[in-house]
Amino acid sequence: MPAQSPREKIIMAAIELFWLKGYNSTSVADLLSRTQLNSGSLYHVFPSKQDVLVGVLETLKDNISPMLLEPAWGGIEDPIEKIFALLAHYRVGIVESDCSYGCPIGSLALELHEPDPQVRTLLAANFEAWTNAVEQCLRGAGSRLPANLDRRALAQFVLTTMEGGVMQARTHRDVGYFDRAVDQLRSYFAFLEEAARVGA
Amino acid sequence: MPAQSPREKIIMAAIELFWLKGYNSTSVADLLSRTQLNSGSLYHVFPSKQDVLVGVLETLKDNISPMLLEPAWGGIEDPIEKIFALLAHYRVGIVESDCSYGCPIGSLALELHEPDPQVRTLLAANFEAWTNAVEQCLRGAGSRLPANLDRRALAQFVLTTMEGGVMQARTHRDVGYFDRAVDQLRSYFAFLEEAARVGA
DNA sequence: GTCTATAAAAGGATAGAC
DNA sequence: GTCTATCCTTTTATAGAC
């Protein structure tokens, strides 16, 4: 295993700290103390703190499969169950953090009110990558869902459910709010599958 | 009309600035310049910046009817249409801000990662007040919805949809993401209403 | 209750030696 | 590429006169 470069160390530390504390509440000093680097090393690689954020968002976007999808989907083949397994994966994160932490992208998206275009675009690209993965599952479900269903819109709605459910679970410090959101989505899927059966 | 007290001026300015810029990005100096007050006046009323936040959250919670529900519901009687009118009200805010600003409570809920218990409780109470209003609409819909439907869980799901849709619309700077989320919720409601008809 | 001035600390970023 | 020291700005909050 090769030694981690300063760049990798900083990105990994920033992914965790931005997730735990948010962007504004994570100081450069926090990143330095976590990585045991000096400010010269950080600023040699990243001209500004915002460049660290850009690196984080690029890393998350480019590694959504190994960092999120593969761990969530281990062994699961059914395309619709993969969607709910992804949601269950977020549930584990909620519970393990005592309902304190949610989706790293969603938190950043609402924390940064007037992000630079580059940052905003990367946030959107992360949502896009997530939605694309779910959309592929929905397409994989074939005739189990109505033929005229807008599968891209439904994929976005899965993300909507996840983000809205995480937000309420965090705020109430009660994973039940996330569970009930997922339950409602399950119920909607059941209607859609029933409609596909009857319509076929 | 009586002159606005310093306290009222600060709360109103803070509601707007926290919505526009967020809590951390709004400085006490911002509040002073917006209200034309001096720091002595602010700190005489609010011992700390966080106390301003508490005042804001209490004001929003205690005035949800005049500040949100009544403007959204003007003239609408149908309980289910009231729910979608509430969502349409948020849509106006999204469009008028060029997809920059969303729900003030949701933004604060995700910006503040480790809020004081008092603040977190007030955020949750705001969600609760919102959900209660929607739940009353769902109860008002009576037999148009299935008798065994968990109306509280569905009310929470309406909030889930709103918050998740707002987040994506803001991030993509495209209200279409909000619209498609609402469309999916409409579709779910259509299934529920159909199930109530058939089951009756 | 309100005014001005300022303290005290934190945070992002840079300089220049090595 | 990395080290230490430090500059500069912003920000929360306070002091003490009026």
Side-chain angles (χ1 to χ4, degrees):
Chain A
M1 188 159 95
Q4 243 185 347
S5 70
R7 179 172 220 284
E8 290 167 326
K9 281 192 203 170
I10 293 161
I11 292 287
M12 290 307 153
I15 287 176
E16 180 161 6
L17 289 176
F18 292 171
W19 179 58
L20 297 179
K21 309 175 49 166
Y23 176 72
N24 284 307
S25 298
T26 298
S27 68
V28 174
D30 289 336
L31 293 172
L32 297 178
S33 100
R34 168 74 63 119
T35 54
Q36 301 284 26
L37 294 169
N38 297 98
S39 88
S41 300
L42 186 148
Y43 281 102
H44 181 74
V45 181
F46 299 102
S48 77
K49 184 185 172 187
Q50 180 173 293
D51 291 299
V52 177
L53 176 60
V54 168
V56 162
L57 293 173
E58 285 175 339
T59 300
L60 292 175
K61 168 179 71 72
D62 294 337
N63 294 282
I64 187 172
S65 277
M67 293 178 80
L68 176 65
L69 303 178
E70 289 165 20
W73 288 348
I76 295 172
E77 292 296 328
D78 183 276
I80 291 182
E81 286 316 304
K82 280 165 85 172
I83 291 173
F84 287 94
L86 184 55
L87 297 175
H89 187 77
Y90 280 89
R91 187 186 195 279
V92 171
I94 295 170
V95 171
E96 286 187 346
S97 70
D98 285 323
C99 301
S100 293
Y101 316 132
C103 167
I105 305 301
S107 296
L108 289 169
L110 289 203
E111 176 185 355
L112 306 169
H113 283 245
E114 281 159 357
D116 270 22
Q118 184 184 20
V119 169
R120 191 192 61 70
T121 303
L122 278 168
L123 288 167
N126 271 277
F127 280 161
E128 199 76 1
W130 201 99
T131 304
N132 284 343
V134 172
E135 187 183 356
Q136 285 316 304
C137 292
L138 293 172
R139 297 202 181 284
S143 61
R144 290 164 61 190
L145 294 169
N148 66 343
L149 173 72
D150 183 341
R151 296 180 192 222
R152 174 137 205 85
L154 181 56
Q156 288 165 12
F157 192 60
V158 174
L159 178 56
T160 297
T161 301
M162 187 277 279
E163 293 290 0
V166 162
M167 180 189 292
Q168 288 174 77
R170 261 183 64 177
T171 304
H172 289 281
R173 291 280 193 274
D174 178 354
V175 74
Y177 285 81
F178 182 80
D179 291 337
R180 286 186 290 277
V182 174
D183 284 347
Q184 295 294 315
L185 186 68
R186 276 264 190 208
S187 166
Y188 182 35
F189 267 75
F191 280 126
L192 289 168
E193 293 183 71
E194 174 64 19
R197 269 193 298 274
V198 175
Chain B
M1 187 160 95
Q4 241 184 349
S5 69
R7 182 187 169 81
E8 289 167 329
K9 281 192 203 170
I10 292 161
I11 292 285
M12 289 309 153
I15 287 176
E16 180 161 8
L17 289 176
F18 291 171
W19 180 58
L20 296 179
K21 311 175 47 166
Y23 176 73
N24 284 306
S25 298
T26 298
S27 67
V28 173
D30 289 335
L31 293 171
L32 297 178
S33 103
R34 168 73 64 118
T35 54
Q36 302 284 28
L37 293 168
N38 296 98
S39 88
S41 301
L42 186 146
Y43 281 102
H44 181 75
V45 181
F46 299 102
S48 78
K49 184 184 171 187
Q50 179 173 293
D51 292 300
V52 178
L53 175 61
V54 167
V56 162
L57 292 174
E58 285 175 340
T59 300
L60 292 175
K61 169 179 71 74
D62 294 336
N63 295 282
I64 187 171
S65 276
M67 294 179 80
L68 176 65
L69 302 178
E70 287 166 20
W73 288 347
I76 296 172
E77 293 296 328
D78 183 274
I80 290 182
E81 285 317 304
K82 281 165 86 172
I83 290 173
F84 287 95
L86 184 56
L87 296 175
H89 187 76
Y90 280 88
R91 187 186 195 280
V92 172
I94 295 170
V95 171
E96 286 187 347
S97 70
D98 285 323
C99 301
S100 292
Y101 317 131
C103 166
I105 305 300
S107 297
L108 290 169
L110 289 202
E111 176 185 354
L112 306 170
H113 284 244
E114 281 158 358
D116 269 22
Q118 185 184 21
V119 170
R120 191 193 60 70
T121 303
L122 278 168
L123 289 166
N126 271 277
F127 280 161
E128 200 76 2
W130 201 100
T131 304
N132 284 342
V134 172
E135 187 184 355
Q136 286 314 306
C137 293
L138 292 172
R139 297 201 182 284
S143 61
R144 289 164 63 190
L145 294 170
N148 66 342
L149 174 72
D150 183 341
R151 296 180 191 222
R152 175 137 204 86
L154 181 57
Q156 288 165 13
F157 193 60
V158 174
L159 178 56
T160 297
T161 301
M162 187 277 279
E163 294 289 359
V166 163
M167 181 190 291
Q168 288 174 78
R170 263 183 63 176
T171 304
H172 289 281
R173 290 283 192 272
D174 177 355
V175 75
Y177 286 81
F178 181 80
D179 291 337
R180 286 186 290 277
V182 174
D183 285 347
Q184 295 294 314
L185 187 68
R186 276 260 190 212
S187 167
Y188 181 37
F189 266 75
F191 281 126
L192 289 168
E193 293 183 71
E194 174 63 18
R197 269 192 298 274
V198 174

